[in-house]
Structure formats: C-alpha cells, structure tokens
Amino acid sequence: MRADDLREIAEVLAEMRQPAEVRDWLQALLTPCERARLCLRWKLVGLLAAGVPQREIARRLGISLCKITRGSREIKRGPGLFRRMVERRAARRR
C-alpha cells in the first residue's frame, strides 16, 4: 500500500456530505467480513473510551485482549483527531 492510496480514499470520504453516502460507499467497497471487522474495531474503541475494562470488552465482543490492547494504544498514542472522535462518540452514548 502506498501513502497515495490511503490519501485518495481519504479524499473520497471527505467529499461525501451525508452518512448514508459513506455507508453506501463502504458497503460497495468492502466485503461483509471487512465491514464486520471495521464495525467491531469501532465498537471496541468506543467501549474503551467509555471506561469499560478490557476483559469485559473481550467477553462482550468475543475477541482477544491483543485486539483490545491495540485499540487502547491508538486511543492513548494515536492521532489526536482519532482520540477526540472516539471520545466524542462515547460521550454521546452515555
């Protein structure tokens, strides 16, 4: 994968104005399995941001602690925008 490839995808997503457009684009581009994995990752970082313990997340979602640890690391050390978006969504769910 080249950096230009990811930039092009980011540009396409940024052009979309409505969540339904993004959803339809993701459904067309990704397989059902890829969509499920993406949704699972988003769920786990949301639960982490909400303060749910990692072992509880593993039990609820049926995933390994390794996957959860990676999500936790991204929240702590990843891009600030990612952290803010995760925390914002977690706050809305409370």
Side-chain angles (χ1 to χ4, degrees), residues 2-63:
R2 298 182 350 237
D4 287 348
D5 297 335
L6 192 55
R7 187 186 75 237
E8 185 175 343
I9 291 170
E11 288 171 357
V12 168
L13 288 167
E15 290 174 11
M16 296 181 204
R17 303 264 189 247
Q18 300 296 320
E21 293 175 332
V22 178
R23 184 197 62 231
D24 291 349
W25 186 83
L26 290 170
Q27 284 184 317
L29 182 68
L30 303 175
T31 66
C33 186
E34 290 166 335
R35 291 191 305 266
R37 285 183 181 159
L38 180 63
C39 292
L40 181 67
R41 281 205 181 170
W42 186 246
K43 279 182 190 176
L44 85 86
V45 295
L47 290 169
L48 285 167
V52 178
Q54 290 190 17
R55 291 192 187 280
E56 174 64 17
I57 295 170
R59 187 191 64 72
R60 279 191 208 179
L61 301 180
I63 58 176

